[in-house]
Amino acid sequence: MDSFHEPYIRQGDDITIEQVRAQLSALEASHKQHGIQLSGRVLHVCHYLPVTATLASPSSSPPHLPLPLHPQIPQTSPPSPSSSAPPTIVAKPNDAQTLPSDADDTPRWSLSPRYGHAAMISGIRSLSFTYQQLIIGWTGDILSSTPASSLPASSVSSQDRAALEDALATYTPREADPDDDRKTTYVPVWLDQAVAHGHYDGYCKQTLWPLFHYLLWQDVATEYASADSHYSAYAAANLAFAQRIAQIYVPGDLIWVHDYHLLLVPKMLRALIPDAVIGLFVHTPFPSSEVFRCLPRRKEILDGMLGANLVCFQTYSYSRHFTSTCVRVCGYESTSRKTEALIQGIDVQGHVTSVMHCPVGVDAERVARDTLRPGVQPKLEALRSLYEGKKIIMGRDKLDVVKGVLQKLRAFEKLLHDYPEWIGQVVLIQVTSPALSDSPKLERQVSELVAHINGEYGSLDFIPVHHYHQTLKKDEFYALLSVADLGVITPLRDGMNTTSMEFVIAQEKSGKRSPLVLSEFMGISQHMADALLVNPWDLGDVASAMNRGLLMSASSKLARHERLHRVVTTHTSHTWALVLSKMLLAQMGGQGTARRTPFIEKAVLKDAYDKAGKRLFLFDYDGTLTPIVKTPAMAVPSPSTLLALTKLTEDPKNLVYIVSGRDQLFLEQHLGKLSGLGMSAEHGGFIREPMRGGSEEGGEGKESEWVNFTERLDMEWMEEVGEVFRYYTERTTGSHIEVKKSSITWHYRASDPEWGQFQCRQCQDLLENNLAHKRPIEVLVGKKNLEVRPIAVNKGEIVKRILYQNPDADFIFCAGDDKTDEDMFRALHLFATDATSATLDPPLSITLIDDHAANGGSSKPELPTVALAVKPEGVFTTAVGHMSKRTLASWHVTTPEEVVGHMLHLVDIDPATVASAPLEDEAGEEKETSHF
């Protein structure tokens, strides 16, 4: 990482909503001008629909099920604060909209709001000013007209499912907010009962939620719990979401996937819709790599997330943790590119996923309206009267371990102990709303601690702690926020806790401007730096902050409050949604979507192959004909690869070369038996021509000699570079130096990935600024390595040499996966715009060796320019990797196996009939492949 600290709001995001909309409009106009297709729709994929559905009169009579009590949910696993929903509630008559069926006038579906993710849904709906909105989510448990019971999804008929979609099409949210209009479309996802609850109550709440909040499953679950037991349900639910999205997708849609319930969806959706523009927003914290790596399915989860074009988090620190995890756990490489700001990314086989952050706010206008509801003021006055003459400290949290209620109570006890003058003068009103699952152990601990504090510091006329374990009504909640003299919100770990922002807005309307004590472990803490930030584990620190807040002067309160209020009302949920849209739109014009290399079809290649008179094949080796492995010496060619090369070289019309970075010995050892195969070693430093035909005397072909292109070059620089490399090797555990005849390479694949990459960049900077401009060399950053080689030696020069010597070739296939292979692709860019023919001047690799040798070392008239027989449609430069990989190639395949499969198809062999074998070491153990 370039930095371990960034401001919570990036420069350029703390602007008005009108400015963001103007930027968005300008970006859309630019895309349209450049021919980028836009549909005007945003697909928001959430775990739940923000609607509870009750089926009053099913078309059949299925058995009624009691509403799930979630017996397997760990006691300390509540829902995500920003996007998960509490248990569904049977709709009250005055809240619900009852929709008649199409067949008769009998009411069938009753819809009512689902509470629990107001900030996210408010932000989504606000985009209706700009886009057509589609919210895709699980229906939730289908409630029946029988109280406290539900219907299994499998029992809901197709007729009733269609009726629900019709009902959702006319549904209007109950609150008459100006941003709630009819442009929002609700798309239900139907899940089998076992899959739905195995997904949410199982894997999400028993495994992912604890992990993301720095708890491991063994800390929160029973002794029989397994971190992997519900993964199949999680994967099945994610697949159902991906398939539902694919059904309604139209080109030009923007797709936002929300939160940790759906982390596999981006990759699954990418497989279904390769060109989709996908964003993933994670509302929870993201843990450090040392915590995340404990997850058994860590790679599947990370790969699922990296299917997106953009992964976005609440804070920079969360995004840094994610980037570090991808590098450390999966071995992927991080990248960075400069736009308006430095954008970090993760490179997976050429597909770069951008990693950014953008905080969620609250709907400030709605909260401000709610604080002025008629029912708020009477309750506010009642609280003032009840606690007259006393300072009020307010706390409102879900009852779970992560919210830090026990630690807060102990800190309040320490306040009364260390500052006894507050005894009888201050009360703590602590509201603990029930979590998704009951937590009797924690509830008992809280009750015992409250009783202890009240017994120790209370009296007949004074009770220091007032604990209410209940869900507050909206009027009561805003009255409590408005009347408080100090707000204390100190979770042990949290994402975007909206209560603190609602507190600031309520205090503005009441005129008190009371201070706020916040945990530094909240995602919002950097956002609200003018609050009193504390470590919730340090009870003395929290008690001291409470004391400072209660004694704070009016001027200091006002100054802090004004700054907090400006932040809360500027970066709202509406601004968040617009900034997300801007980020994802920017991806459409970037590397990820601007140019997608098409997949080369076998039929297209075969047709050109059959028509050609002379064919030229140029293959890289590692990552092209064989997968890259952790131990480079074990990258041996498979039976399929050897068969394909054998059949190609047997055809007299074909000329086949391996153009590799490997040394001569390796290529001879594994491919030397193929006499008709030409080989170039060390990135073009050496070449051995294929043996063609027999000798005049013995009737057998004579083995070609290796030609060294560096013999006439100044190679004294190798010692200077070696000295630099030795310096970094001493300081980078696990790194080593590889010295070849034409180049020198520093490898750090076995080093700590982040430290190795940092040292590589430092070494690269040193070589480029202090040595490269003095010597005829170039510095190349490869896959976990840094290579220095002569400028005159590269794969492109070898390709030019081969093509110059074979100008009659009218079919050229060139495949590679690495940055060094781009030199080959660049050399094969032979045609000017709209040109149908090309010529080639004698390349340096011809004049440097052949010209000099043929004339005994003396000069010779210049060699002629040759006309090439190949046409533009006969050149197939093919990159191995993702379609969005940055490359000069015109085509792509995804894996080395596909390269080999295409070659076998050209020689009329079905790859399925060829025996394959895993890569094995000498002991017969299968080697793990890498993804670079």
Side-chain angles (χ1 to χ4, degrees):
M1 309 315 106
D2 295 298
S3 169
F4 287 92
H5 175 75
E6 277 194 2
Y8 187 79
I9 300 177
R10 296 181 314 282
Q11 183 179 5
D13 283 349
D14 53 340
I15 56 179
T16 66
I17 196 166
E18 290 77 16
Q19 291 173 306
V20 180
R21 285 193 178 122
Q23 293 178 354
L24 201 58
S25 298
L27 193 54
E28 288 177 337
S30 174
H31 284 350
K32 291 176 181 177
Q33 184 178 359
H34 289 86
I36 299 176
Q37 187 173 6
L38 299 174
S39 68
R41 306 196 317 171
V42 180
L43 278 56
H44 290 276
V45 190
C46 314
H47 174 230
Y48 279 112
L49 287 177
V51 178
T52 298
T54 302
L55 183 57
S57 57
S59 55
S60 59
S61 299
H64 289 78
L65 302 175
L67 278 174
L69 297 178
H70 313 302
Q72 296 184 358
I73 303 176
Q75 295 177 353
T76 54
S77 297
S80 166
S82 58
S83 64
S84 301
T88 52
I89 302 172
V90 177
K92 298 178 181 179
N94 60 338
D95 287 341
Q97 296 181 29
T98 303
L99 289 304
S101 69
D102 295 334
D104 52 49
D105 294 332
T106 304
R108 183 172 297 176
W109 287 101
S110 180
L111 306 179
S112 58
R114 184 190 303 276
Y115 301 102
H117 38 22
M120 180 181 73
I121 296 301
S122 170
I124 290 172
R125 287 180 179 146
S126 71
L127 290 176
S128 297
F129 289 106
T130 312
Y131 295 101
Q132 180 185 353
Q133 303 285 8
L134 288 84
I135 299 180
I136 303 163
W138 177 43
T139 59
D141 289 316
I142 301 298
L143 305 182
S144 75
S145 53
T146 303
S149 65
S150 65
L151 300 170
S154 59
S155 69
V156 181
S157 67
S158 57
Q159 179 184 0
D160 286 338
R161 295 188 181 196
L164 177 59
E165 297 202 19
D166 292 339
L168 289 169
T170 58
Y171 172 75
T172 303
R174 182 173 59 85
E175 292 187 349
D177 289 357
D179 53 29
D180 289 344
D181 63 17
R182 300 290 276 275
K183 288 185 180 180
T184 301
T185 301
Y186 301 96
V187 180
V189 176
W190 295 88
L191 297 176
D192 176 78
Q193 205 81 355
V195 169
H197 291 284
H199 163 253
Y200 184 60
D201 304 332
Y203 201 73
C204 287
K205 291 305 174 187
Q206 294 184 17
T207 299
L208 291 182
W209 190 93
L211 181 79
F212 283 12
H213 290 80
Y214 287 80
L215 297 172
L216 297 184
W217 37 92
Q218 68 264 24
D219 297 328
V220 298
T222 68
E223 58 183 308
Y224 304 106
S226 167
D228 217 25
S229 59
H230 296 287
Y231 180 78
S232 60
Y234 184 82
N238 276 251
L239 181 60
F241 273 85
Q243 291 171 338
R244 189 70 177 103
I245 298 165
Q247 290 172 2
I248 64 171
Y249 174 83
V250 298
D253 282 348
L254 298 178
I255 303 172
W256 268 111
V257 180
H258 290 273
D259 223 359
Y260 68 102
H261 314 89
L262 304 170
L263 298 180
L264 301 180
V265 167
K267 182 179 180 180
M268 292 174 170
L269 190 57
R270 180 72 60 204
L272 296 173
I273 315 172
D275 293 333
V277 181
I278 306 169
L280 171 65
F281 191 90
V282 181
H283 293 256
T284 62
F286 196 89
S288 72
S289 61
E290 290 305 301
V291 173
F292 191 89
R293 73 189 313 144
C294 298
L295 183 67
R297 298 283 183 166
R298 59 194 187 183
K299 189 175 186 307
E300 289 90 335
I301 295 297
L302 290 174
D303 283 343
M305 298 173 72
L306 291 170
N309 300 89
L310 168 65
V311 178
C312 198
F313 297 88
Q314 299 270 17
T315 72
Y316 172 71
S317 62
Y318 299 162
S319 68
R320 181 171 58 83
H321 288 162
F322 174 72
T323 301
S324 175
T325 300
C326 292
V327 171
R328 289 182 171 277
V329 174
C330 292
Y332 298 144
E333 291 188 349
S334 64
T335 65
S336 60
R337 58 187 175 90
K338 184 74 174 177
T339 54
E340 298 88 0
L342 188 67
I343 306 299
Q344 295 289 342
I346 300 295
D347 188 334
V348 184
Q349 293 182 323
H351 171 72
V352 178
T353 298
S354 296
V355 182
M356 303 178 73
H357 66 282
C358 178
V360 178
V362 294
D363 185 347
E365 294 181 0
R366 179 188 61 78
V367 173
R369 289 198 305 270
D370 285 343
T371 60
L372 300 177
R373 289 161 57 104
V376 173
Q377 192 62 29
K379 290 181 171 56
L380 187 153
E381 295 298 336
L383 288 170
R384 280 179 178 167
S385 175
L386 183 62
Y387 301 104
E388 185 177 3
K390 296 178 177 60
K391 296 281 189 179
I392 298 174
I393 298 176
M394 183 280 303
R396 186 252 196 172
D397 308 272
K398 287 192 182 298
L399 187 62
D400 66 82
V401 169
V402 166
K403 298 302 180 181
V405 177
L406 283 174
Q407 286 77 7
K408 184 192 302 185
L409 290 170
R410 291 178 182 133
F412 181 70
E413 179 183 14
K414 189 163 183 60
L415 171 72
L416 299 179
H417 177 273
D418 293 354
Y419 306 94
E421 62 271 20
W422 287 115
I423 298 176
Q425 303 300 314
V426 64
V427 296
L428 169 62
I429 303 177
Q430 176 63 51
V431 180
T432 54
S433 56
L436 178 64
S437 59
D438 292 333
S439 181
K441 179 181 178 181
L442 182 60
E443 188 175 352
R444 184 180 68 252
Q445 290 176 323
V446 169
S447 298
E448 290 174 353
L449 185 54
V450 169
H452 165 73
I453 296 172
N454 288 339
E456 186 74 19
Y457 298 97
S459 61
L460 292 176
D461 60 346
F462 171 64
I463 301 176
V465 180
H466 297 256
H467 174 228
Y468 302 94
H469 183 52
Q470 64 186 68
T471 300
L472 291 182
K473 294 179 180 179
K474 187 173 287 189
D475 292 347
E476 295 173 328
F477 174 59
Y478 286 115
L480 180 60
L481 293 180
S482 301
V483 77
D485 296 286
L486 181 67
V488 179
I489 305 169
T490 53
L492 307 181
R493 186 73 59 175
D494 210 349
M496 192 54 53
N497 188 303
T498 58
T499 301
S500 55
M501 292 181 275
E502 293 169 320
F503 177 85
V504 172
I505 296 172
Q507 287 287 316
E508 172 71 16
K509 294 301 179 181
S510 69
K512 293 199 67 167
R513 279 85 170 180
S514 298
L516 189 59
V517 176
L518 293 183
S519 165
E520 65 186 51
F521 299 124
M522 299 165 62
I524 201 173
S525 60
Q526 294 181 37
H527 187 28
M528 304 184 72
D530 285 290
L532 301 173
L533 300 182
V534 297
N535 176 357
W537 296 98
D538 186 347
L539 304 183
D541 183 29
V542 180
S544 175
M546 290 180 181
N547 182 61
R548 285 164 50 209
L550 293 171
L551 295 176
M552 189 176 292
S553 66
S555 60
S556 182
K557 287 181 184 180
L558 179 61
R560 286 175 177 266
H561 173 81
E562 286 179 345
R563 291 192 291 268
L564 287 173
H565 188 261
R566 184 165 56 250
V567 169
V568 169
T569 55
T570 298
H571 204 95
T572 65
S573 60
H574 295 192
T575 314
W576 163 78
L578 281 169
V579 171
L580 286 189
S581 299
K582 184 181 75 171
M583 287 178 173
L584 199 52
L585 271 176
Q587 295 298 310
M588 296 184 76
Q591 172 266 332
T593 58
R595 180 184 184 273
R596 293 187 176 275
T597 311
F599 183 83
I600 185 167
E601 299 292 343
K602 290 181 179 178
V604 174
L605 196 62
K606 176 67 170 173
D607 182 64
Y609 178 87
D610 290 340
K611 294 178 180 178
K614 184 174 182 179
R615 314 176 188 107
L616 180 59
F617 290 89
L618 305 161
F619 298 105
D620 173 44
Y621 183 74
D622 291 279
T624 301
L625 293 179
T626 63
I628 292 179
V629 295
K630 286 185 176 180
T631 306
M634 306 315 301
V636 298
S638 67
S640 297
T641 302
L642 292 174
L643 177 61
L645 292 175
T646 300
K647 292 298 182 182
L648 286 175
T649 54
E650 286 177 352
D651 191 328
K653 291 184 178 182
N654 297 339
L655 191 59
V656 186
Y657 281 86
I658 301 296
V659 185
S660 173
R662 295 282 189 165
D663 60 24
Q664 302 146 272
L665 181 61
F666 181 92
L667 294 180
E668 287 180 341
Q669 177 183 355
H670 295 290
L671 300 171
K673 293 181 181 180
L674 300 176
S675 59
L677 182 66
M679 292 183 284
S680 173
E682 299 190 20
H683 298 298
F686 298 84
I687 190 170
R688 194 182 82 173
E689 301 293 344
M691 182 177 64
R692 309 294 280 177
S695 67
E696 294 181 1
E697 298 179 2
E700 293 185 0
K702 183 180 179 181
E703 184 173 321
S704 301
E705 298 294 330
W706 285 95
V707 177
N708 184 357
F709 290 101
T710 64
E711 286 181 339
R712 296 183 60 196
L713 299 178
D714 176 12
M715 303 296 288
E716 293 182 359
W717 53 266
M718 290 188 71
E719 178 55 35
E720 297 177 72
V721 173
E723 184 177 347
V724 174
F725 280 173
R726 284 190 289 274
Y727 173 87
Y728 281 94
T729 301
E730 293 171 0
R731 287 154 180 80
T732 312
T733 303
S735 66
H736 70 277
I737 302 171
E738 179 186 12
V739 180
K740 300 177 184 178
K741 295 178 181 178
S742 63
S743 64
I744 182 170
T745 306
W746 182 66
H747 296 272
Y748 61 93
R749 184 174 294 276
S751 306
D752 177 274
E754 290 184 287
W755 176 244
Q757 187 173 41
F758 173 78
Q759 290 288 79
C760 177
R761 289 171 178 169
Q762 295 293 309
C763 184
Q764 178 189 5
D765 183 68
L766 177 64
L767 291 171
E768 289 179 342
N769 292 322
N770 294 281
L771 192 60
H773 65 283
K774 301 177 184 177
R775 297 287 193 174
I777 59 175
E778 58 182 340
V779 182
L780 299 174
V781 180
K783 294 176 179 176
K784 303 293 185 182
N785 65 64
L786 188 66
E787 181 178 20
V788 181
R789 69 185 186 192
I791 292 177
V793 174
N794 60 67
K795 291 185 177 183
E797 284 298 319
I798 287 298
V799 167
K800 290 178 183 178
R801 172 190 174 89
I802 296 170
L803 189 56
Y804 185 84
Q805 293 176 333
N806 299 274
D808 53 338
D810 54 355
F811 173 96
I812 302 174
F813 180 86
C814 178
D817 75 306
D818 206 346
K819 296 175 184 177
T820 58
D821 299 317
E822 296 297 313
D823 290 330
M824 294 198 293
F825 303 148
R826 186 178 294 107
L828 291 173
H829 275 217
L830 303 166
F831 301 91
T833 305
D834 298 327
T836 59
S837 62
T839 59
L840 183 64
D841 293 330
L844 184 62
S845 53
I846 290 287
T847 59
L848 189 67
I849 300 296
D850 297 16
D851 184 18
H852 182 80
N855 204 35
S858 61
S859 60
K860 183 182 178 180
E862 291 187 3
L863 294 172
T865 297
V866 298
L868 303 179
V870 71
K871 301 298 180 185
E873 60 273 14
V875 180
F876 296 90
T877 50
T878 307
V880 181
H882 195 271
M883 67 170 64
S884 64
K885 182 178 185 178
R886 286 185 176 180
T887 180
L888 295 172
S890 301
W891 303 89
H892 98 282
V893 293
T894 307
T895 63
E897 291 76 13
E898 289 179 348
V899 175
V900 175
H902 279 54
M903 296 306 102
L904 290 173
H905 181 74
L906 293 183
V907 295
D908 300 317
I909 296 177
D910 183 358
T913 64
V914 182
S916 61
L919 301 176
E920 296 183 351
D921 60 16
E922 295 178 357
E925 296 180 354
E926 186 173 334
K927 304 299 290 185
E928 181 180 350
T929 59
S930 179
H931 291 267
F932 293 89

